[in-house]
Amino acid sequence: MAMEMRDLPKKETKDQMLTIVQAVNDGMRTLLETDDRIMLLGEDIGKNGGVFRATEGLQEVFGADRVVDTPLSEAGIIGASVGLAVNGFKPIAEIQFLGFIYPAYEQVMTHVSRLRMRTMGRYTVPMVIRAPYGAGVRAPEIHSDSVEALFTHMPGIKVVCPSTPYDAKGLLIAAAEDPDPVLMLEPMRSYRAKREEVPSGRYTVEIGKGKRVKEGTDITLIAWGAMMPVVEKAAEQAEKSGISCDVIDLRTLYPLDRDLIAESVQKTGRAVIVHEAHFTGGLGNDIVSMINDTSFLYLRAPIERVTGFDVPVPFFALEEHFLPTPARVVQAIEKAVHF
Amino acid sequence: MNTHYPIKQVMDKEGRIVDSSYESLINEQLVKDLYYHMYRIRTFDRKAISLQRQGRLGTYAPFEGQEAAQVGSAMALQPADWMFPTYRDHGAKLTFGADMAGTFLYWNGRVEGCVPPEGRNIFPPAVPIATQLPHAAGAAWAERRKGTKNASIAYFGDGATSEGDFHEGMNFASVFKAPVVFFNQNNRYAISVPIEKQMNSETIAQKAVAYGMPGVRIDGNDCLIVYFEVMKALEEARKGQGPTLIEAVTWRTGAHTTADDPTKYRPADQGKDIVDPLLRMERFMKNNGYWDEAWVQETAERITAEIEKAVEDMESYPTPNVEDLFDYVFAEMPAQLAEQKQSYLTHLRGNQ
């Protein structure tokens, strides 16, 4: 079988109104159509179309050899994907929920992330791992983890986390085109929250680039994924008290967009970082260090962090108390502004 | 391999005895107890689905069709044994003595539902797949080290056999001669993936060969064979003979969970030939003169009342305590966590 990436079909691209999960589906469909090397692997992704319907309809079109229902084995999915990736394919592996990735953690930590280094570039692992993450949908226990920092800590794998349908498709295609492994965390709470225009066909959102979603002058708010709606709501509330917020959606968690963060904080002199992952060892700490390195003399207040607490993600009866809320973010904004 | 591991039964689909090996152990009390528990957990299961549909319960994993496997296995345990269930084995848990209101609470996102009753060792349900098998091996190994006759039972499904923890748990138990019964409920689907796509082996029982332990394949919808074979495996384990793998072939009548739609992946006519395990037991009881209409009626009423009471208890349970979020992470709360707790409680008070 000749395997190559075909040029984009030269037809007019039409915008479609899609949710995040539909945009992810459209991204995989686009990749399968335009790159013979793409294979999807995962539990229940074929006939069932995925437990969130992210792969709905793809096996029917592209066949069971390319959209593969695997055995129930996360280490198998990721480990076999390494073998496929070094040998000419581009696997996009779905882990059903991020909280179930741990059996595959060894594969990610010891092989996915360092095969390039261990072979001085002779073997590389151009693969994508997709996983829905986060709490707030009253899911059964363990289904709600948000452990991006376990992966941003490990050199050799990039981590992206879109918060909008447009970015979801664009980052997925960029991840598939990337010469290195990319973990894409998909905010399950936002999967069907809203629709927006998403171009059909192939386009990318650059990995490593954040996006300013609201221009402001008094304080920088930094978040990603499922925390974006929380931060945007907090920004609206803060505006009512006359506080102007510069809101940044990081989109890529490794490597971080240092320039965008520095430029914003140097303008506002204040920052609040919001993530639903635990406080200790959370990515917020890396962002604080980065601001310290780039913008220390511009700061007018200590940097605030609003995060999940240092407790395991609780059963859903208590999850609203675990997750950062607009009220907690507003409190942090006020603390920084009135420092 | 099917010929090496034929499906063992006590009764056929019509409830007639097909193998008399265990006939001398069958008596009216045992049969009525088994039927009682099957009826009880089925009523619970249907109630839970109905509560979920009314928005009174979270996502729920039903077990209808697997009652014989869950009741027969749990009834074979001794009170001091250890149970390691999955999220679909609350029927077995209830039979072994788990609290019913607590079981409802679990499915309502309440951690209180994971706490076993005093005097029973029931692990919280394993939500990640197959992770409980090594736990069962360890707990059983501890019993052996302590010189007791207590054993463990680990519940798991067909999909679990693809995970590394399945193999690691089986191997540990076998190497350390831990008194474990690895009780597999092969309901033929791991969410949407049928067993023939899950594995290339004809049976699950044959996987025991690799670990040097007995493997038994039984009709998981025949409550009597389940009870007797689990009892036998437990007795061997208690004698120091090590673990056994039992494959109970069964069928999940409904969805994987209330969030799942099995019509997407299961042919409509599949499973239609399967005789419901409760109906089989009813036929068996009728064939053997154990069926007593008045008793059945009285039992049904008693169970309905018990379940209504449990629902009431669940719904009148105190609202979740925010402090619980922080209080059970460590024996002694680290200072930084105490600060997080204090600051959040202050924040909550400020917003009231």
Side-chain angles (χ1 to χ4, degrees), chain A residues 241-304:
Chain A
S241 346
I243 303 169
S244 160
C245 303
D246 208 43
V247 182
I248 290 176
D249 178 354
L250 275 183
R251 303 196 293 189
T252 293
L253 308 184
Y254 192 94
L256 287 169
D257 190 345
R258 187 167 64 174
D259 293 346
L260 178 63
I261 296 169
E263 183 248 311
S264 174
V265 173
Q266 288 172 14
K267 175 176 68 179
T268 63
R270 304 178 184 92
V272 177
I273 301 154
V274 182
H275 57 66
E276 70 174 272
H278 317 288
F279 178 81
T280 299
L283 190 61
N285 300 345
D286 287 285
I287 300 168
V288 171
S289 324
M290 193 172 265
I291 294 171
N292 191 52
D293 292 345
T294 58
S295 316
F296 180 74
L297 293 175
Y298 295 83
L299 288 177
R300 300 158 72 179
I303 300 158
E304 292 294 322

Side-chain angles (χ1 to χ4, degrees), chain A residues 30-63:
Chain A
T30 305
L31 285 161
L32 285 158
E33 276 169 356
T34 52
D35 187 343
D36 287 340
R37 298 167 298 182
I38 295 285
M39 274 176 76
L40 312 188
L41 293 87
E43 295 157 7
D44 308 291
I45 68 161
K47 196 158 186 187
N48 196 36
V51 297
F52 288 104
R53 306 289 177 242
T55 47
E56 179 93 60
L58 299 181
Q59 192 183 62
E60 286 160 35
V61 178
F62 300 100

Side-chain angles (χ1 to χ4, degrees), chain A residues 194-250:
Chain A
K194 62 174 183 191
R195 288 171 191 274
E196 72 175 14
E197 285 186 8
V198 173
S200 59
R202 214 170 160 117
Y203 71 93
T204 56
V205 167
E206 190 181 350
I207 294 175
K209 292 284 179 223
K211 181 174 66 177
R212 174 177 283 109
V213 298
K214 202 188 127 343
E215 185 91 39
T217 52
D218 297 328
I219 189 161
T220 300
L221 307 184
I222 300 167
W224 55 89
M227 283 297 108
M228 285 313 298
V230 172
V231 164
E232 288 171 82
K233 205 163 177 188
E236 269 172 41
Q237 287 175 21
E239 301 274 325
K240 287 180 192 151
S241 346
I243 303 169
S244 160
C245 303
D246 208 43
V247 182
I248 290 176
D249 178 354
L250 275 183

Side-chain angles (χ1 to χ4, degrees), chain B residues 102-118:
Chain B
T103 308
F104 278 129
L105 281 170
Y106 176 78
W107 292 103
N108 232 348
R110 297 293 297 265
V111 68
E112 293 89 340
C114 276
V115 184
E118 282 301 322

